[in-house]
Amino acid sequence: RKEVEQDPGPFNVPEGATVAFNCTYSNSASQSFFWYRQDCRKEPKLLMSVYSSGNEDGRFTAQLNRASQYISLLIRDSKLSDSATYLCVVNIPSFSGGYNKLIFGAGTRLAVHP
Amino acid sequence: GAGVSQSPSNKVTEKGKDVELRCDPISGHTALYWYRQSLGQGLEFLIYFQGNSAPDKSGLPSDRFSAERTGGSVSTLTIQRTQQEDSAVYLCASSQDISSPKNTEAFFGQGTRLTVV
């Protein structure tokens, strides 16, 4: 089983739609989770951090279900500018201590059309 | 500096040559990561550093790949005897702190696009 798995998409949605991405992770000891956004031929940029059960920032809501080892990202009222690849990221604790192995999912591609 | 800086931004090299990629992390960030991204693919973990040591080198694809970090700051990724399959964007990221999971957001440089011809 991959350490972080995402539905690759693509998700093609009209402006104004609500879209949800799912992500599962295999290491039950993971403590921190992130969603990154990556535009074509650009570096990934942090969208949201998820430390407890969830986090909301404007149109974006991230939720964490530790029992099911599942993270989701909900985007409401989609804009054309939301078109990008969304990467689920899980921080894997290391045996030597610390939390510094960030594992990225393969990403889910979103295309918002007029 | 203000952000993570990588150099060169683009590198074209002949098959069989060695290349060295450089990463300057955000000042004060203890953790530094290297990833590789082939065209249309996800990010592949290569290696990470805590300070100058690399607790996990499991992602390095072969013994042609090596990385070091000096002074807890600059890191270099070296690829010896490059092959065409090494062509990819090599991304470096840094994060602030390893002691708490709440300080591990990673910030990326713009990457080095490596083309082996």
Side-chain angles (χ1 to χ4, degrees):
Chain A
R1 182 183 173 186
K2 288 184 180 178
E3 290 179 292
V4 181
E5 293 201 69
Q6 291 183 252
D7 181 342
F11 284 62
N12 294 300
V13 303
E15 277 185 287
T18 295
V19 61
F21 306 137
N22 300 321
C23 171
T24 58
Y25 61 96
S26 61
N27 190 321
S28 60
S30 297
Q31 294 291 320
S32 51
F33 312 87
F34 310 93
W35 284 100
Y36 278 72
R37 169 191 171 131
Q38 187 173 28
D39 292 288
C40 188
R41 299 176 77 86
K42 298 284 190 181
E43 74 275 19
K45 294 192 175 176
L46 180 68
L47 179 65
M48 296 184 76
S49 306
V50 189
Y51 301 120
S52 57
S53 61
N55 192 14
E56 184 171 329
D57 183 5
R59 298 183 294 109
F60 299 85
T61 301
Q63 291 192 315
L64 168 64
N65 183 321
R66 290 185 188 274
S68 302
Q69 294 181 206
Y70 167 99
I71 313 148
S72 64
L73 177 68
L74 184 76
I75 306 176
R76 290 180 296 276
D77 189 21
S78 300
K79 312 290 185 191
L80 294 176
S81 57
D82 293 335
S83 298
T85 297
Y86 290 83
L87 305 168
C88 173
V89 186
V90 176
N91 198 307
I92 309 292
S94 69
F95 292 113
S96 59
Y99 298 84
N100 268 329
K101 185 174 180 179
L102 291 174
I103 300 298
F104 283 72
T108 300
R109 200 152 52 90
L110 173 66
V112 182
H113 58 81
Chain B
V4 178
S5 176
Q6 290 187 246
S7 61
S9 53
N10 281 285
K11 176 73 176 178
V12 179
T13 189
E14 291 182 351
K15 179 180 171 181
K17 300 280 189 184
D18 297 352
V19 296
E20 194 171 276
L21 312 180
R22 177 187 169 105
C23 174
D24 269 291
I26 293 172
S27 178
H29 279 195
T30 59
L32 184 148
Y33 319 83
W34 284 99
Y35 294 88
R36 177 169 75 171
Q37 188 170 35
S38 300
L39 189 62
Q41 303 298 311
L43 271 74
E44 176 188 3
F45 170 82
L46 297 179
I47 188 171
Y48 85 91
F49 290 89
Q50 289 177 191
N52 291 336
S53 64
D56 191 335
K57 301 179 182 180
S58 62
L60 294 176
S62 74
D63 59 7
R64 296 186 294 105
F65 287 72
S66 62
E68 65 174 14
R69 189 179 185 194
T70 54
S73 181
V74 172
S75 176
T76 54
L77 176 69
T78 301
I79 309 173
Q80 296 178 307
R81 305 180 302 282
T82 51
Q83 304 294 313
Q84 287 185 327
E85 61 262 28
D86 298 335
S87 296
V89 176
Y90 289 81
L91 289 159
C92 174
S94 70
S95 67
Q96 182 181 9
D97 185 3
I98 64 167
S99 62
S100 164
K102 291 195 174 185
N103 290 322
T104 55
E105 293 96 337
F107 299 89
F108 281 83
Q110 293 187 321
T112 294
R113 186 174 300 277
L114 176 67
T115 304
V116 181
V117 297

